[in-house]
Amino acid sequence: RGKEEKGKAWMPKLRMVKEYKDKRKSTDDVERNIFKFKKSSEEKKMDEEEKFFRETFMFQQEIRVLSRARAQRSVPSRRHADLPLTAGEHLDVIAAPHGHAVICRNAQGRYGYVLVEHLSFR
């Protein structure tokens, strides 16, 4: 016998009734599922858009809405960083880094630059 085997004490193995074991598993699963929330596809898409926005615009601050604006006319996007507009669409203004363009978010959660001349503020 080695030194390790000498120090170990023999303990009887406790056996559980199979019914109790199955019952315990099912209640544990139910309790764990209470705290898990699955994100809907819309929330996942919003998170992806926000991640893309932060990488593209190098935006490190907290995203706060400075004001709300309405698009006066429909404007297609010229660049990848521009936000396409439809007339009458409501937008959240996130930041105003340049004098002639602001960063906005539309109802679908997309971010992009919009020229101030295409917006009407209330």
Side-chain angles (χ1 to χ4, degrees):
R1 291 184 174 176
K3 293 180 181 178
E4 293 177 16
E5 291 180 16
K6 264 187 185 177
K8 288 186 179 178
W10 180 82
M11 300 275 298
K13 189 172 186 178
L14 300 173
R15 302 188 186 262
M16 262 189 233
V17 179
K18 188 175 183 178
E19 293 173 13
Y20 175 72
K21 192 176 183 180
D22 293 340
K23 191 175 186 182
R24 192 182 76 186
K25 281 184 182 177
S26 65
T27 57
D28 288 348
D29 292 342
V30 170
E31 290 173 358
R32 287 185 188 128
N33 288 341
I34 291 173
F35 300 108
K36 290 183 180 177
F37 295 103
K38 292 185 178 179
K39 290 186 176 181
S40 67
S41 60
E42 290 178 15
E43 289 176 337
K44 288 179 184 176
K45 188 174 181 179
M46 293 286 267
D47 289 344
E48 289 172 11
E49 289 288 342
E50 183 177 332
K51 183 179 177 184
F52 176 75
F53 163 70
R54 289 187 181 279
E55 290 172 358
T56 305
F57 295 94
M58 294 178 275
F59 198 82
Q60 304 302 327
Q61 307 139 5
E62 179 185 353
I63 297 175
R64 292 184 308 151
V65 177
L66 301 177
S67 66
R68 289 188 51 92
R70 190 174 58 83
Q72 292 178 341
R73 62 183 87 108
S74 296
V75 180
S77 63
R78 304 252 185 248
R79 300 176 298 160
H80 190 57
D82 292 340
L83 185 65
L85 299 177
T86 56
E89 181 179 21
H90 290 279
L91 303 167
D92 296 329
V93 178
I94 305 299
H98 306 294
H100 62 282
V102 292
I103 298 174
C104 293
R105 175 178 61 199
N106 64 7
Q108 289 80 31
R110 290 198 55 207
Y111 296 85
Y113 286 115
V114 178
L115 294 176
V116 177
E117 61 193 40
H118 299 307
L119 300 175
S120 66
F121 296 90
R122 291 185 181 175

